[in-house]
Amino acid sequence: MLNIFTLVNGRLFQEEIESLEELSRFQPIWVDMEAPTPDEKRWVSQYYGLSIPQDAMDEDIEESARFYEEDNGDLHIRSDFLIAGDDEPRTVRVAFILNLLNDAHKSKGVLFSIHDEDLPVFRLVRMRARRAPGLIEDAKEVLLNLFDTDAEYSADTLERIYDELEQVSKQVLASEVTDESAGEVLGRIARQEDLNGRIRRNVMDTRRAVSFMMRSRMLSAGQFDDARQILRDIESLDSHTAFLFDKINFLMDATVGFININQNKIIKIFSVASVALLPPTLIASIYGMNFRFMPELDWAAGYPFALALMVASAVGPMWYFRKRGWLK
């Protein structure tokens, strides 16, 4: 899908393009290519004179090739954006191309973005730019707003992680934890740990992209201040992710501890039963000996006496263990 965004009276308007002729009718500040077809890439390259790298959306691209400037003035930024869905949290690589210097190309002052799927951050920026006049004035502010909204989206996701961990904490600490409930809790904790790690990586990537924009001296004084504010917000997110990692580790240790307690109870019961059955086993072994002269062999009450002695020798230790509280 090829979408272009024009600026009219301070608002961002969206147009979906289906041919090269339609592309030439507009003067956009942002061209967004979501899972573009070869024809759509060809239209953009042909009309704007833009060189789109073949590995623009590759996940395994070298780190040194993620932020660079070409000889013709094109700035290339590859950054990851978070999708914090309930089913499958993930990050999506987005390639940005921005030319602010080369007057010979129609691409000057136009932000190009290429990605494989729609992103919550992109939808939020488009909605805000339509409703709030003056929010965006040029392509650089589109890019800054995307990174700013990405940090905000990460912060909202961290709040949801904290709420989820609060529910897990109540489940772990406020009631008896069975093995079944402990397995469920460990699964919930593992999902939140994975999402928290993705957020930390995402904000680290956003920090690098914003720092590259500041070093490239492409920002105005006001935009430079906005970029510094984004970096300050990211710093606060770093400390919050560290706090959540500590909370996750605590809940993980507590849950594993309850599992160990449940297992120890089972082992304790087997141990107590083994000790309690030792005296009856000893008595049965004695009366199972095949000696010729045993006083009880000719005694009419010898068999009941042996059985009663074995029962008493088993009940005695069990009564003692129960009195000491070892069977609880």
Side-chain angles (χ1 to χ4, degrees):
M1 183 182 299
L2 179 58
N3 293 309
I4 66 171
F5 297 87
T6 58
L7 200 61
V8 180
N9 297 326
R11 300 176 186 268
L12 204 62
F13 284 87
Q14 178 178 348
E15 298 287 346
E16 186 172 336
I17 300 301
E18 297 182 354
S19 68
L20 178 60
E21 290 72 19
E22 291 183 4
L23 186 64
S24 61
R25 292 168 42 205
F26 300 96
Q27 295 292 329
I29 64 168
W30 180 17
V31 176
D32 184 44
M33 292 174 275
E34 177 187 336
T37 65
D39 285 340
E40 289 171 343
K41 287 184 178 180
R42 179 174 53 81
W43 297 341
V44 172
S45 299
Q46 179 178 342
Y47 182 76
Y48 290 102
L50 191 71
S51 177
I52 302 177
Q54 295 295 325
D55 60 352
M57 294 175 289
D58 286 356
E59 293 291 335
D60 57 349
I61 188 172
E62 294 181 3
E63 295 297 319
S64 59
R66 295 183 62 184
F67 310 100
Y68 64 94
E69 181 177 358
E70 290 188 348
D71 295 337
N72 63 357
D74 286 348
L75 292 174
H76 289 257
I77 298 175
R78 322 284 176 90
S79 186
D80 295 332
F81 286 79
L82 180 69
I83 298 180
D86 295 333
D87 298 331
E88 186 185 354
R90 60 197 181 277
T91 54
V92 176
R93 176 67 51 82
V94 181
F96 295 104
I97 305 174
L98 179 60
N99 190 321
L100 301 173
L101 302 175
N102 198 334
D103 295 326
H105 293 165
K106 295 179 181 178
S107 61
K108 181 182 178 182
V110 180
L111 174 67
F112 298 88
S113 58
I114 311 165
H115 49 99
D116 286 329
E117 55 185 302
D118 192 21
L119 296 164
V121 169
F122 281 52
R123 293 196 299 268
L124 187 55
V125 169
R126 294 195 297 261
M127 180 189 69
R128 289 176 174 176
R130 283 197 305 267
R131 296 179 178 179
L135 178 65
I136 292 176
E137 296 181 355
D138 56 26
K140 294 179 293 183
E141 290 197 352
V142 173
L143 192 53
L144 274 179
N145 270 274
L146 287 172
F147 289 135
D148 185 24
T149 307
D150 187 43
E152 180 183 342
Y153 180 76
S154 298
D156 292 340
T157 307
L158 286 175
E159 291 180 1
R160 292 200 299 271
I161 292 177
Y162 184 82
D163 293 339
E164 176 71 14
L165 292 179
E166 282 294 299
Q167 297 178 9
V168 172
S169 179
K170 293 178 181 179
Q171 184 176 353
V172 171
L173 303 178
S175 61
E176 184 178 354
V177 179
T178 63
D179 290 345
E180 182 179 356
S181 62
E184 177 188 351
V185 166
L186 287 177
R188 294 172 66 182
I189 293 174
R191 286 192 293 272
Q192 300 311 313
E193 193 278 338
D194 175 70
L195 182 55
N196 194 46
R198 291 181 182 276
I199 291 174
R200 184 151 195 164
R201 178 189 172 187
N202 183 67
V203 296
M204 179 183 67
D205 189 82
T206 302
R207 178 195 290 117
R208 296 178 58 201
V210 174
S211 297
F212 173 76
M213 293 178 65
M214 296 172 70
R215 292 194 307 270
S216 64
R217 303 190 182 188
M218 57 183 286
L219 304 176
S220 64
Q223 292 169 344
F224 195 88
D225 290 337
D226 292 340
R228 284 193 296 186
Q229 182 59 49
I230 295 173
L231 294 182
R232 285 193 290 268
D233 293 341
I234 290 175
E235 289 294 333
S236 66
L237 294 181
D238 278 342
S239 60
H240 200 66
T241 55
F243 163 74
L244 288 179
F245 274 128
D246 291 339
K247 188 174 182 66
I248 287 170
N249 289 333
F250 166 75
L251 292 174
M252 186 78 72
D253 292 341
T255 305
V256 172
F258 281 117
I259 293 175
N260 292 333
I261 290 174
N262 292 338
Q263 292 177 344
N264 290 337
K265 289 180 180 179
I266 297 173
I267 295 174
K268 182 174 67 175
I269 292 174
F270 281 111
S271 300
V272 169
S274 300
V275 173
L277 292 176
L278 282 177
T281 303
L282 176 62
I283 296 172
S285 300
I286 293 174
Y287 284 101
M289 297 178 182
N290 295 320
F291 291 112
R292 182 177 179 181
F293 299 102
M294 295 186 72
E296 293 83 7
L297 291 179
D298 296 327
W299 186 24
Y303 179 66
F305 171 76
L307 292 180
L309 187 60
M310 285 189 286
V311 171
S313 65
V315 171
M318 294 295 292
W319 173 82
Y320 177 77
F321 294 152
R322 184 177 182 84
K323 183 178 180 182
R324 297 294 300 269
W326 294 351
L327 295 179
K328 295 181 180 180

